[in-house]
Amino acid sequence: MRFIKLLTLLLFCSNAISVQNLLAQEKFTLSGYVKDISSGETLIGANVFYNSDEGMTGTVTNLYGFYSLTLPKGTYKIDYNYIGYETVSREVVLDKDISLNIELGESALMLDQDVVITGRKEDENVSSADVGKVALEVSKLKTLPAFMGEVDVLKSIQLLPGVQASGEGNAGFYVRGGGADQNLILLDDATVYNTGHLFGFFSVFNADALKNTTIIKGGMPAQYGGRLSSVLDVTMKEGNNKRFQADGGIGLIASRLTLQGPIQKNKSSFILSGRRTYISELAQPQINKTDFAGSGYYFYDLNAKVNYIFSDKDRVYLSGYFGRDVFTFSNGDRDFATNIPWGNATGTLRWNHLFNDKMFMNTTAVYNSYNFKFGVDVQDFKVEYFSGIRDYSLKVDFDYFPTVRHKVKFGVNYTWHKFSPSRLEANVQGTDVEPVVEINKAHEFAAYIQDEWDITGRLKVNVGLRAALFAQVGPYDFTYNSDSTTTFNEGEHVKSYPAIEPRMNFRYRITDAASLKGSVTYNTQFIHLVTNSASTLPTDTWLPSSKLIRPQRAWQYSLGWFQNLKQNKYEASVELFYKQLFNQIDYTETYVPTGPPTKLENNFVFGNGRAYGAEFFVKKRLGKFNGWLGYTISRSERIFEGNDLEGDEDLAFFENQPINDGKWFVSSFDRPHDISLALNYEISPKLILSGVWVFASGQAITVPKEIAFIDNKLITLYGDRNSYRIAPYHRMDLSLTYKPQQKKERRFKSEFNASIYNVYNRRNIYYIYFDSAFEDTTDDEIDNPDTFKNTAVAVSLFPIIPSITWNFSF
């Protein structure tokens, strides 16, 4: 409570000082939008700065390219810049409020060894108050080695310190010891619940359709909530509103095509982007020679967006995403067929409104869903299993710029959740069997306020407060004492969980090239993904907080030293973090996924956790040779002691079983050592060589320690939870990008990218299974324990894999 009171006091003081400063002298506001000169796309995070007594001072554009500077009356030289673009300077006589839109053009000299072209303040690494925030450049990602030629945003963020891959070739990721479900993943403000194609080996994000990608590992601002570990905020392109443009690529397993252009020049535009794999068709001749003959698989994505500019005060956007994986198998001889589709769908309707030069509003309506279906048809028997989640959301966010030292953001949002953990339907010989259905519904509300306050030239803070409320409603059956059930009808209130979440980041500038940064955040997570897998699979089920399931909660503390070297050409940082986790969820040790159907939440146990570590990062930003090296040393641990649930008398009956005899154990997300090296070298204007090397400690797993025969039955006895660690994971990838020399006046451009995944053919372990058998026996000896052998078998998936992709644009 003391921390919350301190934050409230800081927010009050910061705004009181703002009002006092406004009254002290005559001030005016310079505002507008910063855009790309060739496409009309607004530029997120573009810098708008002027030279003051304290050095370069100013602001950055918001998520919609808008900026606002309130300054004393006078004449100013304002610089506008963005990564890969030429800086534009304007002299402004500020004797009244001025609206000024700026268009920036791309720089042809960005990779020149001696030319400094940046898309941010050169010292942003040390000057910003952001903690654990990294913005990814999609253009740079396209030069890195890509798995099977498919550029993947999620695999690229795994190269950052503090972010670990969930498995070999997998797009899932863990952040600072948290689980896969503790990452908030947004696409145009819509939550993406399952991010993987092909069981997680490819992400659902088509890089050609993306405008901006930002990950926040720590110091989560108050505008975000609902998850404990991180935010991955992905924004789609708006579409070129100046001319028609087509981009695409043809690879070994998939092709993609993006079309964009003006509907009404400089007023309205569209973008349509599609991707589809044909790996099954190419492999079909070989598949037909195996036991999997008759099977097929493909995935596809479709991104679409349109926007209309009514005026500088009003803009409307409509965007959507639809993606599906489809696996089929049929065997005519056995009269057997199965169909397994799964995927995401999102839709976002957004209205930007500018009340005045200082107040910007964004209103967003969002629909998103994730569905998984499994259908089997065997002779006269048909069965379908379905699970999914569906959300309807409405949010209003405000950006307020009272002075150049303050950027205030506040807003409210509401989400209606509908969970379908399981629905089972069957038909036997033409007769429908009564379906088995489980439905959960809930309301989620939130309101927040935050202020980025530049107190002095050295000290900057971002203080915020978020209030949330989660309310479960019926239909719901609450079973207790094993034989008693309370039924809640449709819409009837079941249980509510309030949450107050303070957030604070700070930056103290030691010198012009060094700063100390820190953050303290408190987060609450109301929805949960409980899985036996190390990665996100399509069969995983989301569940809400309920009368039995408590919200997950976490405190996270970060402290880091940030240093720039050699006139900002090099960046370095060391960041420490500690995370306390409460109400963590796992299955009971006796849970069997293939056992008799039961209500899923009755198979859970609840405990706590902790994660801590240090992240080291060195980056060369400029020149023909650039890249970064990251190293993380960390631990992630859990404990399930089997104690009472927060002293709740309603749940006194509940047997919260211990795991691992109530002792601490490392989680399956634990990777004590993680190293990532990513390098780019411009051999010539035509050739770019890139390489990646990664190393990570092996995954912790639970293995049998003893196999016993009791009453002529085979009994497997397991060791401590996650007490065995498989061999470390390491791999090198290389790629070469060739850009043929083309005349500037030609619109058609193309490039070839050749990649080699796993260059030295490392056989990394994907999983281990145990092969149990009696050896060298006769029928009389079949039950002789001395002839029994249990062998651990390690399975590897990907050897060395070459690929080539042709990319084009016109």
Side-chain angles (χ1 to χ4, degrees), residues 177 636-638 665-671 699-700 722 725:
S636 176
E637 300 168 323
R638 300 290 185 269
F665 61 91
V666 297
S667 74
S668 57
F669 325 125
D670 181 69
R671 304 288 189 275
Q699 181 185 345
N722 293 340
R725 196 175 292 276

Side-chain angles (χ1 to χ4, degrees), residues 371-382:
N371 296 309
F372 170 81
K373 188 169 131 180
F374 178 88
V376 175
D377 188 345
V378 184
Q379 297 178 354
D380 293 330
F381 175 74
K382 297 180 180 179

Side-chain angles (χ1 to χ4, degrees), residues 289-569:
K289 299 176 183 178
T290 70
D291 293 336
F292 295 99
S295 63
Y297 169 82
Y298 63 89
F299 72 76
Y300 62 89
D301 296 304
L302 181 66
N303 296 77
K305 192 171 187 176
V306 294
N307 71 89
Y308 189 84
I309 303 173
F310 292 94
S311 67
D312 276 350
K313 290 186 176 292
D314 292 283
R315 303 176 179 210
V316 174
Y317 306 82
L318 177 62
S319 63
Y321 166 83
F322 186 82
R324 279 293 179 270
D325 290 67
V326 179
F327 175 80
T328 59
F329 177 77
S330 63
N331 187 315
D333 295 335
R334 299 181 181 178
D335 195 14
F336 174 86
T338 184
N339 181 49
I340 310 175
W342 68 91
N344 301 278
T346 73
T348 303
L349 176 63
R350 187 157 47 211
W351 170 41
N352 291 170
H353 178 68
L354 188 63
F355 287 99
N356 53 50
D357 295 333
K358 298 181 181 180
M359 179 73 78
F360 181 95
M361 180 191 74
N362 176 61
T363 302
T364 308
V366 176
Y367 164 84
N368 58 283
S369 69
Y370 171 72
N371 296 309
F372 170 81
K373 188 169 131 180
F374 178 88
V376 175
D377 188 345
V378 184
Q379 297 178 354
D380 293 330
F381 175 74
K382 297 180 180 179
V383 63
E384 280 193 349
Y385 171 82
F386 171 87
S387 69
I389 180 172
R390 182 176 299 174
D391 293 343
Y392 297 91
S393 302
L394 182 65
K395 56 181 294 191
V396 183
D397 300 289
F398 296 88
D399 290 309
Y400 176 51
F401 307 87
T403 71
V404 71
R405 291 191 178 276
H406 290 271
K407 287 193 295 184
V408 179
K409 193 173 182 71
F410 58 95
V412 295
N413 61 68
Y414 163 76
T415 300
W416 165 249
H417 298 286
K418 181 180 179 181
F419 302 82
S420 302
S422 63
R423 178 183 178 90
L424 188 64
E425 298 178 350
N427 181 285
V428 180
Q429 295 181 344
T431 302
D432 290 333
V433 178
E434 184 177 354
V436 179
V437 181
E438 183 179 350
I439 298 290
N440 294 297
K441 297 180 180 180
H443 304 277
E444 185 173 352
F445 307 86
Y448 72 91
I449 183 171
Q450 64 187 47
D451 182 18
E452 185 175 287
W453 181 15
D454 199 351
I455 300 175
T456 69
R458 293 190 179 275
L459 180 62
K460 178 186 285 188
V461 297
N462 187 324
V463 292
L465 196 63
R466 182 180 182 90
L469 176 67
F470 188 88
Q472 182 197 12
V473 296
Y476 178 70
D477 291 332
F478 181 57
T479 303
Y480 54 97
N481 291 334
S482 301
D483 55 2
S484 301
T485 299
T486 300
T487 298
F488 295 86
N489 298 321
E490 178 74 32
E492 186 178 355
H493 177 261
V494 178
K495 184 74 175 179
S496 293
Y497 294 100
I500 300 295
E501 304 174 14
R503 317 280 178 85
M504 184 175 72
N505 297 355
F506 78 87
R507 177 227 67 199
Y508 185 77
R509 198 151 184 173
I510 309 297
T511 68
D512 288 344
S515 65
L516 181 69
K517 298 184 186 182
S519 69
V520 179
T521 61
Y522 182 73
N523 294 69
T524 306
Q525 181 167 329
F526 298 109
I527 65 175
H528 320 279
L529 180 71
V530 183
T531 174
N532 280 331
S533 170
S535 61
T536 302
L537 294 176
T539 52
D540 292 340
T541 301
W542 290 87
L543 288 171
S545 295
S546 66
K547 198 168 181 64
L548 177 59
I549 304 175
R550 294 298 189 251
Q552 300 179 61
R553 305 182 189 275
W555 281 100
Q556 183 173 182
Y557 311 89
S558 299
L559 184 66
W561 180 274
F562 295 77
Q563 179 81 50
N564 282 10
L565 304 166
K566 293 197 172 182
Q567 298 180 332
N568 302 313
K569 289 185 177 181

Side-chain angles (χ1 to χ4, degrees), residues 702-763:
T702 306
V703 298
K705 67 175 183 179
E706 185 179 353
I707 294 182
F709 284 85
I710 301 175
D711 295 331
N712 230 18
K713 293 182 180 179
L714 184 66
I715 304 297
T716 302
L717 304 176
Y718 288 89
D720 289 344
R721 174 69 70 97
N722 293 340
S723 57
Y724 177 80
R725 196 175 292 276
I726 65 176
Y729 179 96
H730 55 88
R731 187 192 80 242
M732 177 185 288
D733 307 330
L734 293 175
S735 75
L736 183 67
T737 302
Y738 172 64
K739 300 180 179 181
Q741 188 171 1
Q742 295 157 341
K743 295 181 180 180
K744 291 184 179 180
E745 59 271 18
R746 288 190 61 187
R747 288 188 56 182
F748 185 85
K749 299 178 181 178
S750 68
E751 64 180 37
F752 295 88
N753 181 278
S755 295
I756 302 178
Y757 179 89
N758 196 6
V759 171
Y760 51 81
N761 200 32
R762 164 74 174 177
R763 305 299 289 183

